[in-house]
Coordinates of all heavy atoms in Angstrom, one line a residue:
N589 N -23.8 -9.9 -21.6 CA -25.1 -10.4 -22.1 C -26.3 -9.6 -21.6 O -26.2 -9.1 -20.4 CB -25.3 -11.8 -21.7 CG -24.3 -12.8 -22.3 OD1 -23.8 -12.5 -23.4 ND2 -24.1 -13.9 -21.6
R590 N -27.3 -9.4 -22.4 CA -28.5 -8.7 -22.0 C -29.7 -9.6 -22.3 O -29.7 -10.7 -21.9 CB -28.5 -7.3 -22.6 CG -27.4 -6.4 -22.1 CD -27.4 -5.0 -22.6 NE -26.2 -4.3 -22.3 CZ -25.9 -3.7 -21.2 NH1 -26.8 -3.7 -20.2 NH2 -24.8 -3.1 -21.0
D591 N -30.6 -9.1 -23.1 CA -31.7 -10.0 -23.6 C -31.1 -11.1 -24.5 O -31.7 -12.1 -24.6 CB -32.8 -9.2 -24.2 CG -33.4 -8.2 -23.3 OD1 -33.4 -8.5 -22.1 OD2 -34.0 -7.2 -23.8
T592 N -30.1 -10.8 -25.2 CA -29.4 -11.8 -26.0 C -28.0 -12.0 -25.5 O -27.5 -11.2 -24.7 CB -29.3 -11.3 -27.5 OG1 -28.5 -10.2 -27.6 CG2 -30.7 -11.0 -28.0
S593 N -27.4 -13.1 -25.9 CA -26.1 -13.5 -25.4 C -25.1 -13.5 -26.5 O -25.4 -13.8 -27.7 CB -26.1 -14.9 -24.8 OG -27.1 -15.0 -23.7
V594 N -23.8 -13.2 -26.2 CA -22.8 -13.2 -27.2 C -22.4 -14.7 -27.5 O -22.3 -15.5 -26.6 CB -21.5 -12.4 -26.7 CG1 -21.0 -13.0 -25.4 CG2 -20.4 -12.4 -27.7
V595 N -22.1 -14.9 -28.8 CA -21.6 -16.2 -29.2 C -20.1 -16.1 -29.2 O -19.5 -15.4 -30.0 CB -22.1 -16.6 -30.6 CG1 -21.5 -17.9 -31.1 CG2 -23.6 -16.7 -30.6
V596 N -19.5 -16.7 -28.2 CA -18.0 -16.4 -27.9 C -17.2 -16.8 -29.1 O -16.2 -16.1 -29.5 CB -17.6 -17.2 -26.7 CG1 -16.1 -17.0 -26.4 CG2 -18.4 -16.7 -25.4
S597 N -17.6 -17.9 -29.8 CA -16.8 -18.3 -31.0 C -16.8 -17.3 -32.2 O -16.0 -17.4 -33.1 CB -17.2 -19.7 -31.4 OG -18.6 -19.6 -31.9
S598 N -17.8 -16.4 -32.1 CA -17.9 -15.4 -33.2 C -17.0 -14.2 -33.1 O -16.9 -13.4 -34.0 CB -19.4 -15.0 -33.4 OG -19.7 -14.2 -32.3
I599 N -16.4 -14.0 -31.9 CA -15.7 -12.8 -31.6 C -14.4 -12.7 -32.4 O -13.6 -13.6 -32.5 CB -15.4 -12.7 -30.1 CG1 -16.6 -12.8 -29.3 CG2 -14.6 -11.4 -29.8 CD1 -16.3 -12.8 -27.8
R600 N -14.3 -11.5 -33.1 CA -13.1 -11.2 -33.9 C -12.6 -9.9 -33.5 O -13.4 -8.9 -33.4 CB -13.3 -11.3 -35.4 CG -13.7 -12.6 -36.0 CD -14.1 -12.5 -37.4 NE -13.1 -11.7 -38.2 CZ -13.5 -11.1 -39.4 NH1 -14.7 -11.0 -39.8 NH2 -12.5 -10.4 -40.0
L601 N -11.3 -9.8 -33.4 CA -10.6 -8.5 -33.1 C -9.7 -8.2 -34.2 O -8.8 -9.0 -34.6 CB -9.9 -8.5 -31.7 CG -9.1 -7.2 -31.4 CD1 -10.1 -6.0 -31.2 CD2 -8.3 -7.4 -30.1
Q602 N -9.8 -6.9 -34.7 CA -8.9 -6.5 -35.8 C -8.2 -5.2 -35.3 O -8.8 -4.4 -34.6 CB -9.7 -6.1 -37.1 CG -10.3 -7.3 -37.7 CD -11.1 -7.0 -39.0 OE1 -11.4 -5.8 -39.2 NE2 -11.4 -7.9 -39.8
V603 N -6.9 -5.1 -35.6 CA -6.1 -3.9 -35.2 C -5.5 -3.4 -36.5 O -4.8 -4.2 -37.2 CB -5.0 -4.3 -34.2 CG1 -4.2 -3.0 -33.9 CG2 -5.7 -4.7 -32.9
N604 N -5.8 -2.2 -36.8 CA -5.3 -1.6 -38.1 C -5.7 -2.4 -39.3 O -4.8 -2.6 -40.2 CB -3.8 -1.3 -38.0 CG -3.5 -0.3 -36.9 OD1 -4.2 0.6 -36.6 ND2 -2.3 -0.6 -36.2
G605 N -6.9 -3.0 -39.3 CA -7.4 -3.7 -40.5 C -7.0 -5.1 -40.5 O -7.4 -5.8 -41.5
A606 N -6.2 -5.7 -39.6 CA -5.8 -7.1 -39.7 C -6.3 -7.8 -38.5 O -6.3 -7.3 -37.4 CB -4.2 -7.1 -39.8
D607 N -6.7 -9.1 -38.7 CA -7.1 -9.9 -37.6 C -5.9 -10.2 -36.7 O -4.8 -10.5 -37.2 CB -7.7 -11.2 -38.1 CG -9.1 -11.1 -38.7 OD1 -9.9 -10.3 -38.2 OD2 -9.4 -11.7 -39.7
V608 N -6.1 -10.2 -35.4 CA -5.1 -10.5 -34.4 C -5.6 -11.6 -33.5 O -6.8 -11.9 -33.3 CB -4.7 -9.3 -33.6 CG1 -4.1 -8.2 -34.4 CG2 -5.9 -8.8 -32.8
A609 N -4.6 -12.4 -33.0 CA -4.9 -13.5 -32.1 C -5.1 -13.0 -30.7 O -4.2 -13.0 -29.9 CB -3.7 -14.5 -32.2
A610 N -6.3 -12.7 -30.4 CA -6.7 -12.3 -29.0 C -7.1 -13.5 -28.2 O -7.5 -14.5 -28.7 CB -7.8 -11.2 -29.1
T611 N -7.0 -13.3 -26.9 CA -7.4 -14.3 -25.9 C -8.8 -14.0 -25.4 O -9.0 -12.9 -24.8 CB -6.4 -14.4 -24.8 OG1 -5.1 -14.7 -25.3 CG2 -6.8 -15.5 -23.8
G612 N -9.7 -14.9 -25.6 CA -11.1 -14.7 -25.2 C -11.6 -15.8 -24.2 O -11.2 -16.9 -24.3
F613 N -12.5 -15.4 -23.3 CA -13.0 -16.3 -22.3 C -14.5 -16.0 -22.2 O -14.9 -14.9 -22.1 CB -12.3 -16.2 -21.0 CG -10.9 -16.5 -21.0 CD1 -10.0 -15.5 -21.1 CD2 -10.4 -17.8 -20.9 CE1 -8.6 -15.8 -21.1 CE2 -9.1 -18.1 -20.9 CZ -8.2 -17.1 -21.0
A614 N -15.3 -17.1 -22.1 CA -16.7 -17.0 -21.7 C -16.8 -16.7 -20.2 O -16.0 -17.2 -19.4 CB -17.5 -18.2 -22.1
T615 N -17.7 -15.8 -19.8 CA -17.9 -15.6 -18.4 C -19.4 -15.9 -18.1 O -20.2 -16.2 -19.0 CB -17.6 -14.1 -18.0 OG1 -18.6 -13.3 -18.7 CG2 -16.2 -13.7 -18.4
T616 N -19.8 -15.8 -16.8 CA -21.1 -16.1 -16.4 C -22.1 -15.1 -17.0 O -23.3 -15.4 -17.1 CB -21.3 -16.2 -14.9 OG1 -20.8 -14.9 -14.4 CG2 -20.4 -17.3 -14.3
S617 N -21.6 -13.9 -17.4 CA -22.5 -12.9 -17.9 C -22.1 -12.4 -19.3 O -22.6 -11.4 -19.7 CB -22.5 -11.7 -16.9 OG -21.3 -11.1 -16.7
G618 N -21.2 -13.1 -20.0 CA -20.8 -12.6 -21.3 C -19.5 -13.2 -21.7 O -19.3 -14.4 -21.7
A619 N -18.6 -12.3 -22.0 CA -17.2 -12.7 -22.4 C -16.2 -11.6 -22.2 O -16.6 -10.4 -22.1 CB -17.2 -13.1 -23.9
T620 N -15.0 -12.0 -22.1 CA -13.9 -11.0 -22.0 C -12.9 -11.4 -23.1 O -12.8 -12.5 -23.5 CB -13.2 -11.1 -20.6 OG1 -12.6 -12.4 -20.4 CG2 -14.1 -10.7 -19.5
L621 N -12.2 -10.4 -23.5 CA -11.2 -10.5 -24.6 C -10.0 -9.6 -24.2 O -10.1 -8.5 -23.7 CB -11.8 -10.1 -25.9 CG -11.0 -10.4 -27.2 CD1 -11.2 -11.8 -27.6 CD2 -11.5 -9.4 -28.3
S622 N -8.8 -10.2 -24.5 CA -7.6 -9.3 -24.3 C -6.6 -9.6 -25.4 O -6.5 -10.7 -26.0 CB -7.0 -9.7 -22.9 OG -6.5 -11.0 -22.9
Y623 N -5.8 -8.6 -25.7 CA -4.8 -8.7 -26.8 C -3.6 -7.9 -26.4 O -3.8 -6.7 -26.0 CB -5.3 -8.2 -28.1 CG -4.2 -8.1 -29.2 CD1 -3.6 -9.2 -29.7 CD2 -3.9 -6.8 -29.6 CE1 -2.6 -9.1 -30.6 CE2 -2.9 -6.7 -30.5 CZ -2.2 -7.8 -31.1 OH -1.2 -7.6 -32.0

Side-chain angles (χ1 to χ4, degrees):
N589 294 334
R590 298 182 188 276
D591 295 337
T592 66
S593 302
V594 59
V595 178
V596 177
S597 61
S598 71
I599 303 173
R600 292 171 54 204
L601 177 65
Q602 296 178 342
V603 176
N604 297 324
D607 287 322
V608 296
T611 302
F613 298 97
T615 66
T616 57
S617 60
T620 61
L621 190 79
S622 64
Y623 170 70

